[in-house]
Amino acid sequence: MSSHFLFIHVNQSAPVESPDTIPVSEATILAHLKNHGFSGRILGDLANSPLKPRDLAKVIHTEQPLAVGFTAYQQNIEQIRLWARYTKKVSPGSKVILGGPQVTFMPAEALGHMPEVDFLCRGEGEEVMLGLAQALSNGAEISRVPGLCFLREDEVVETGPAQGAKDLDEYASPYLTDLIDLRYKARAVMLTSRGCSYDCAFCYTPNASRRRVRFHSIERIVEEMKYLKSRGMVAFWFADPNFSSSRKRLVALLEAIVREVSGVTFWCQTRYDLLDKELIALLKGAGADNVAFGLESANPEVLDRINKPIDLARLSRVIRMTQEAGINVELFSMFGLPGETFDQAAATLEFVKNNRVAIESNSISQQAHLFFGTPMNDDPAAYGIRPFPRTRPAYLSVCRDYETDAMSADDIHRMSLIWRLNRNDFAEDVLTGKNLFHRAAFITENRDVLKDRPEAACLLARIYLALEEYGAAINSMRLLSKEFSEDPGAQELLRGPFLCFKVSHEKGRHGFKVIYDCQGSVDGRLVLATCGRFQEAVLGEGMLLPEFERHLQGMSPGGDIRFDMTFPDNYGRTALAGKAITFRIHLHHTMEPVTVEDYKDLDSEAPRNDYKIEDLEALRQHNINLYYKVLRTSNMSGQKRDMADALMLVNLYLKLGFMDMARDVARTLRDNAVVFTHAAHIFRQNGRPREALELLDEGGQDGQMEQMIRAEALFELNMLEESEALVKEMKLPNSVPLADLRVRLAARLALPIETYLEREKVLLEAKARAML
């Protein structure tokens, strides 16, 4: 019998470059199996590197694995079910195993709801998987292997708890055995311990570890770091929560890193009450560039309810000391906690901002999740938590489907929007002109909920200014002046002046904006990193390399130029540093600066530009902001547009909140029923289900596509019975969207679990069929 094991690491929310996609758990288990004579490999199914079904089928046929293992979480378990079902179709004899911290507490009933899964792995994967591997390969009795849950003739078999190694060094290192591919990673995940001895009500780790903490030796940790450094890895992420379980151990580890692995950087989380200036200095000297502290809430009463007492004044002092040492600080926080009011949740956001902690990375708050094994999930009523009435398969916990005695579902949703609005990348995108329509859509779709937030109006005004929608910008700023005149952000924006640009016939010079195409080559071969269409830059603002900008100075609109230049040796992109490149430039437009002192004068003094660009398809691909300005100009002048451009203009108008303008453009498409229906679909996709239904009524069509849009729109309007009645009549065999909507309706309508599971089966079959 085969002794080969296959693991599939499923994380479709993170790209291959992220350390989040390092399969450290699967690789540690595989290293332990290999130490005992078994073989195996790990495949990845990641956001920007999805696993291809044919590749999995080839691996299964070629390697004939004895079992296929997955680490399951709430967010990936449906995708895991799909891969498990596909595995069974390709190789019916393969065993499918689910592991992970939540699986340890997942009810056994879940196996009846996941027929494609053979085993639940309870507890430490290394010991359980080794026992199972030995039993399967030797034909031994599986029920004698601790840590398993499986069905035998429809009866649940639980084999009892598995004991993990007391000394974690007994488990082979996945790094020292070269089981982890780090080619695309800039940071490696390190685990120095397992378990937690605390008792936080939102966390399953204490239960999973029986409140026991075990450690790797400092020698093992340093050996891994030295080996990884020798392979070019100099950034690390200490991901275990007890990295700093004791001051003595932490000091010893940091001193060992300074002594033996100098020149590295690392992220870690640590107890705030452990740190003083001496220990912070040692962290900095060892390479700590990011330190995270657990905050959860800035309200002492809320902290008491979740069994996490914190001295908030002391935490603030430690944050300041850490920042003064040149170490970035992150704060873990949550909202929707037991007994927490909306105002208390908002105070946590203010605590983060007042302590000058950037709202990015781990400092982006999220709603508390109710996972299997957490006290809050096991007895929600004791914590004032009310799960929504939903039909859930047994493999899904309550997660975020709840409200509390102190916060309604609307309050929790509003809090999540406010945190997203305050993320650093939101403001950075707006200030740099990136993702403007995505950011605008977030604000306009939630305008009613965010109407009391000055930052929403400020950001939207800046977006309108960047897109030359001066009338809309004025309206936003009038609102700021009237409702938020004391807000510092509003005052800064309203103070002006406002820099605009006017299409010019003059040559480019200092202060002018230029719109250009460029491509660089070496010996006639294009260098893709130097190529760009419809690039924008303001001359003299340091946006371009001086030598490159010198050649743009003095160019006329419509002109072309060719020149040679050498990138600086210290250029940020190492692939270009020191390289001699031949550039070709085509200049589309020069734009002279126009300054408007008072926002009230924007409508009369800001220029109205008429861009002369014919290649709209390329423009749409490379500069969506400029593409919109061109489309808007043609719309205002009544020029005819390609239908694809018209639909895109509808889409962009909706994202900016220009409902009437979007509706007017859509109605020009009524002569083409298919295109008009697609316009209605765009309205629904942009959070306008009611208007989508109105357009469908105007179109008068009632085909399968129209019915699907109607059903989705009704669902989004919470008209669940009407949506259910519609989908029952629809005939779209193998339609994944229809099958998915039916599953969502079964959950929201709290239909019998048998109905839910049957619909889920149809959905999985439709997805699996699409994979074949």
Side-chain angles (χ1 to χ4, degrees):
M1 183 175 284
S2 170
S3 61
H4 191 76
F5 283 77
L6 177 64
F7 293 89
I8 303 177
H9 182 73
V10 179
N11 187 344
Q12 294 193 322
S13 63
V16 67
E17 299 84 7
S18 169
D20 286 336
T21 60
I22 294 176
V24 66
S25 297
E26 295 94 329
T28 305
I29 295 171
L30 182 54
H32 191 60
L33 288 172
K34 285 194 168 188
N35 258 11
H36 290 79
F38 295 92
S39 62
R41 66 184 296 188
I42 303 170
L43 299 177
D45 183 29
L46 313 177
N48 62 344
S49 183
L51 179 60
K52 295 181 175 61
R54 64 176 179 272
D55 291 342
L56 176 58
K58 182 178 179 181
V59 169
I60 291 174
H61 285 310
T62 302
E63 301 178 9
Q64 295 292 304
L66 181 61
V68 180
F70 300 88
T71 299
Y73 297 93
Q74 186 95 355
Q75 70 267 25
N76 72 356
I77 195 165
E78 296 294 359
Q79 182 71 5
I80 285 174
R81 286 199 64 195
L82 178 60
W83 284 123
R85 184 169 289 255
Y86 182 78
T87 296
K88 292 288 190 180
K89 285 183 178 294
V90 173
S91 177
S94 293
K95 302 298 183 183
V96 172
I97 307 162
L98 298 192
Q102 291 168 71
V103 173
T104 295
F105 303 105
M106 187 179 285
E109 182 188 0
L111 285 169
H113 296 173
M114 297 185 293
E116 60 282 330
V117 174
D118 297 291
F119 298 100
L120 300 180
C121 172
R122 312 284 208 191
E124 201 140 283
E126 291 84 359
E127 298 300 326
V128 180
M129 287 296 294
L130 178 59
L132 179 61
Q134 292 170 335
L136 289 174
S137 60
N138 298 329
E141 176 53 52
I142 296 172
S143 62
R144 295 178 182 173
V145 178
L148 289 176
C149 176
F150 61 94
L151 297 179
R152 176 172 285 167
E153 296 180 355
D154 295 329
E155 293 293 326
V156 173
V157 178
E158 293 269 15
T159 64
Q163 299 298 321
K166 292 182 180 179
D167 179 3
L168 293 183
D169 284 0
E170 291 182 22
Y171 299 142
S173 165
Y175 292 119
L176 298 177
T177 51
D178 286 325
L179 291 179
I180 295 178
D181 182 0
L182 293 173
R183 282 178 299 170
Y184 305 104
K185 305 292 193 291
R187 190 181 291 266
V189 175
M190 302 291 294
L191 294 172
T192 73
S193 67
R194 293 186 187 182
C196 183
S197 59
Y198 293 98
D199 196 26
C200 299
F202 55 84
C203 185
Y204 50 68
T205 303
N207 282 347
S209 63
R210 304 184 188 92
R211 289 172 178 75
R212 178 178 57 149
V213 183
R214 293 164 296 146
F215 302 96
H216 282 293
S217 67
I218 289 175
E219 292 75 18
R220 161 71 173 267
I221 300 164
V222 169
E223 183 184 10
E224 285 186 326
M225 294 180 72
K226 288 171 67 176
Y227 177 73
L228 289 169
K229 185 182 177 184
S230 73
R231 304 288 296 271
M233 180 63 67
V234 294
F236 299 91
W237 171 20
F238 290 107
D240 51 307
N242 277 288
F243 172 72
S244 63
S245 60
S246 77
R247 183 186 181 97
K248 181 179 179 181
R249 180 175 183 271
L250 179 58
V251 168
L253 174 57
L254 295 175
E255 289 177 343
I257 292 173
V258 170
R259 185 173 58 250
E260 301 186 50
V261 207
S262 61
V264 301
T265 62
F266 61 85
W267 179 102
C268 67
Q269 54 182 311
T270 182
R271 288 167 38 193
Y272 76 97
D273 55 356
L274 193 73
L275 296 190
D276 53 28
K277 287 189 176 181
E278 180 184 7
L279 192 49
I280 290 171
L282 183 55
L283 277 165
K284 177 66 175 177
D289 55 0
N290 284 275
V291 169
F293 303 113
L295 168 64
E296 319 317 340
S297 171
N299 184 272
E301 294 178 359
V302 174
L303 290 169
D304 285 343
R305 293 190 193 100
I306 60 174
N307 303 323
K308 187 160 186 175
I310 292 177
D311 182 337
L312 294 167
R314 183 176 176 184
L315 174 58
S316 289
R317 291 195 296 272
V318 172
I319 291 171
R320 185 169 60 255
M321 284 192 297
T322 307
Q323 292 168 334
E324 288 172 351
I327 301 174
N328 184 57
V329 171
E330 297 177 2
L331 291 173
F332 294 108
S333 67
M334 293 183 282
F335 52 88
L337 290 165
E340 180 184 56
T341 66
F342 180 88
D343 288 342
Q344 289 169 341
T348 300
L349 171 61
E350 293 308 311
F351 181 91
V352 174
K353 293 167 69 174
N354 291 339
N355 281 279
R356 301 187 302 280
V357 173
I359 302 176
E360 59 189 13
S361 194
N362 294 295
S363 298
I364 299 170
S365 190
Q366 61 179 338
Q367 181 185 346
H369 290 47
L370 273 59
F371 288 137
F372 296 128
T374 66
M376 283 164 51
N377 183 80
D378 294 344
D379 189 4
Y383 292 91
I385 294 172
R386 298 192 296 269
F388 298 147
R390 298 278 192 270
T391 299
R392 297 182 188 87
Y395 55 81
L396 293 180
S397 66
V398 172
C399 197
R400 293 175 296 177
D401 286 343
Y402 70 87
E403 58 185 5
T404 73
D405 290 343
M407 285 181 77
S408 67
D410 288 342
D411 288 335
I412 292 173
H413 175 64
R414 181 169 173 241
M415 196 69 245
S416 71
L417 297 179
I418 292 171
W419 271 97
R420 286 176 62 187
L421 186 67
N422 280 272
R423 286 171 50 153
N424 275 33
D425 59 354
F426 204 123
E428 288 169 2
D429 277 357
V430 172
L431 291 175
T432 58
K434 298 177 182 176
N435 302 313
L436 293 185
F437 293 96
H438 174 69
R439 300 306 189 185
F442 174 81
I443 299 173
T444 58
E445 287 180 27
N446 299 289
R447 185 171 282 171
D448 290 343
V449 181
L450 298 172
K451 61 186 178 183
D452 64 341
R453 305 298 302 189
E455 62 268 42
C458 284
L459 289 166
L460 194 57
R462 292 188 185 277
I463 291 170
Y464 289 150
L465 287 169
L467 296 173
E468 300 177 9
E469 288 289 357
Y470 298 117
I474 291 171
N475 289 337
S476 292
M477 286 188 275
R478 281 176 179 157
L479 173 66
L480 287 166
S481 179
K482 179 180 178 182
E483 303 291 340
F484 307 108
S485 59
E486 301 302 316
D487 179 76
Q491 291 175 348
E492 179 188 359
L493 175 62
L494 295 172
R495 194 178 301 126
F498 303 91
L499 180 63
C500 308
F501 289 93
K502 175 184 178 182
V503 170
S504 173
H505 299 291
E506 297 184 28
K507 294 179 179 180
R509 60 178 184 270
H510 186 88
F512 272 49
K513 179 188 285 189
V514 290
I515 301 171
Y516 62 94
D517 298 339
C518 66
Q519 61 178 38
S521 61
V522 175
D523 298 328
R525 296 189 304 273
L526 287 180
V527 180
L528 293 180
T530 68
C531 298
R533 298 289 310 275
F534 302 107
Q535 303 291 296
E536 296 186 57
V538 178
L539 300 178
E541 286 197 352
M543 301 168 71
L544 303 172
L545 288 172
E547 187 176 355
F548 186 92
E549 182 172 303
R550 180 170 58 83
H551 290 282
L552 285 175
Q553 296 269 8
M555 282 189 71
S556 298
D560 296 275
I561 191 173
R562 173 177 172 166
F563 60 90
D564 297 323
M565 66 165 280
T566 301
F567 280 84
D569 291 334
N570 61 349
Y571 190 64
R573 301 184 67 166
T574 55
L576 295 175
K579 293 287 180 65
I581 304 287
T582 297
F583 274 103
R584 294 177 182 271
I585 303 290
H586 173 73
L587 188 62
H588 292 283
H589 282 295
T590 62
M591 305 184 71
E592 62 181 284
V594 176
T595 300
V596 179
E597 297 294 335
D598 192 315
Y599 78 87
K600 301 183 190 70
D601 298 326
L602 281 166
D603 212 20
S604 58
E605 296 183 13
R608 297 293 184 267
N609 289 308
D610 184 10
Y611 297 91
K612 303 298 184 184
I613 297 175
E614 300 296 330
D615 191 354
L616 291 184
E617 183 176 350
L619 190 57
R620 180 170 64 242
Q621 294 176 1
H622 297 282
N623 189 332
I624 192 70
N625 297 347
L626 185 56
Y627 170 75
Y628 169 76
K629 295 173 189 177
V630 173
L631 283 187
R632 176 185 178 275
T633 301
S634 66
N635 185 56
M636 299 300 287
S637 63
Q639 298 177 29
K640 283 195 171 184
R641 294 173 303 275
D642 178 88
M643 284 188 178
D645 291 328
L647 287 173
M648 182 59 80
L649 186 57
V650 170
N651 183 40
L652 299 179
Y653 273 155
L654 288 172
K655 293 185 186 308
L656 296 176
F658 300 160
M659 178 70 67
D660 291 340
M661 297 168 74
R663 192 184 285 111
D664 289 344
V665 175
R667 283 172 175 155
T668 66
L669 305 171
R670 274 183 292 196
D671 291 342
N672 188 319
V674 173
V675 176
F676 191 60
T677 297
H678 194 68
H681 178 58
I682 291 172
F683 270 77
R684 189 198 66 76
Q685 285 183 314
N686 280 281
R688 303 292 180 179
R690 197 174 304 280
E691 290 78 7
L693 292 174
E694 292 173 359
L695 285 179
L696 290 175
D697 289 341
E698 289 183 30
Q701 301 294 315
D702 197 28
Q704 293 288 331
M705 182 178 179
E706 287 80 11
Q707 286 184 331
M708 189 68 212
I709 298 170
R710 283 184 186 278
E712 288 279 14
L714 291 168
F715 182 87
E716 290 159 10
L717 289 168
N718 207 34
M719 300 172 68
L720 304 179
E721 297 288 353
E722 293 87 340
S723 182
E724 171 74 5
L726 194 55
V727 300
K728 277 186 174 180
E729 303 300 321
M730 294 179 65
K731 308 292 184 190
L732 286 173
N734 304 322
S735 168
V736 171
L738 177 58
D740 179 70
L741 178 57
R742 284 175 170 158
V743 170
R744 286 183 280 134
L745 280 164
R748 290 284 301 277
L749 287 168
L751 299 181
I753 187 63
E754 294 79 11
T755 302
Y756 180 99
L757 293 174
E758 182 57 35
R759 293 184 177 188
E760 180 75 7
K761 178 182 177 182
V762 172
L763 174 59
L764 287 171
E765 288 293 337
K767 288 182 175 180
R769 193 174 290 108
M771 296 166 69
L772 293 173

